[in-house]
Amino acid sequence: MTRIIADISVSLDGFVTGPDPSPDNGLGTGGEALHTWAFSDDPDDRRVLREGTARSGAVVLGRHLFDIVDGPKGWDDTTGYGAGEVGKPAFVVVTSSPPESVRTANLDWTFVTTGLPDAVTAARERAEAASSDSGKDLDVILMGGGATVGSALDAGLVDALTLHLAPIVLGAGTPLFTGEAPRTLVQRSVISTSTATHLTYDVFR
């Protein structure tokens, strides 16, 4: 069964970027520290990354995050979604209009202009097709940014929430939670390392 899983790194004070994120400034001032765990040699961090990538049948992201990862300082063969891990999933971008060109054209990009629910539906279809091809259950991963994940939670589109809680305080940036809709979460797992606390919750709506 394909699930919709929101998976994102967050600071102790609830931000998923530092101040002033942009294609030239990545995750904002200080924001790169949110992803220290993804480059860690800690075996538990590596396992979290490996298992998360292995279950990814399709990945949803917003246009702002796409512009960062496709920008000149974005993903390459060594830095990117699951770099060095198994395979590459399909990527679905929520946007008002597709970009004129794509630098990371070696990846499977789909651009959906009719809203987040339609993007999630398209990603679910891709994940289910990948599940059928591979013979194992694969999920849709909502990787961000914060507004995309928050909107999906508010719209009741998310089955599970995985937070990689980084031991930093950013003070400002892009908040993950805006308080627009109540949510009931049931904690399913906690993995603590020196670089992050990896928390997984079921989301009830």
Side-chain angles (χ1 to χ4, degrees), residues 93-95 112-121:
V93 180
V94 189
T95 181
V112 175
T113 61
T114 52
L116 180 57
D118 285 347
V120 170
T121 297

Side-chain angles (χ1 to χ4, degrees), residues 63-107:
R63 177 57 185 270
H64 180 73
L65 182 55
F66 167 79
D67 288 341
I68 291 174
V69 302
D70 192 57
K73 297 182 180 179
W75 290 353
D76 57 28
D77 290 340
T78 59
T79 303
Y81 191 90
E85 301 297 336
V86 296
K88 289 289 188 295
F91 294 92
V92 178
V93 180
V94 189
T95 181
S96 59
S97 61
E100 294 182 1
S101 63
V102 177
R103 179 183 63 84
T104 51
N106 59 315
L107 299 177

Side-chain angles (χ1 to χ4, degrees), residues 95-185:
T95 181
S96 59
S97 61
E100 294 182 1
S101 63
V102 177
R103 179 183 63 84
T104 51
N106 59 315
L107 299 177
D108 181 354
W109 295 105
T110 298
F111 299 92
V112 175
T113 61
T114 52
L116 180 57
D118 285 347
V120 170
T121 297
R124 185 191 293 274
E125 291 171 353
R126 298 297 300 273
E128 289 175 346
S131 296
S132 179
D133 290 343
S134 66
K136 60 182 180 181
D137 289 335
L138 298 174
D139 297 319
V140 172
I141 307 299
L142 298 174
M143 67 170 286
T148 299
V149 170
S151 294
L153 286 166
D154 288 341
L157 299 173
V158 177
D159 298 313
L161 173 64
T162 295
L163 299 177
H164 309 286
L165 186 64
I168 59 170
V169 175
L170 291 172
T174 305
L176 177 57
F177 300 115
T178 60
E180 294 182 6
R183 307 169 186 93
T184 300
L185 307 178

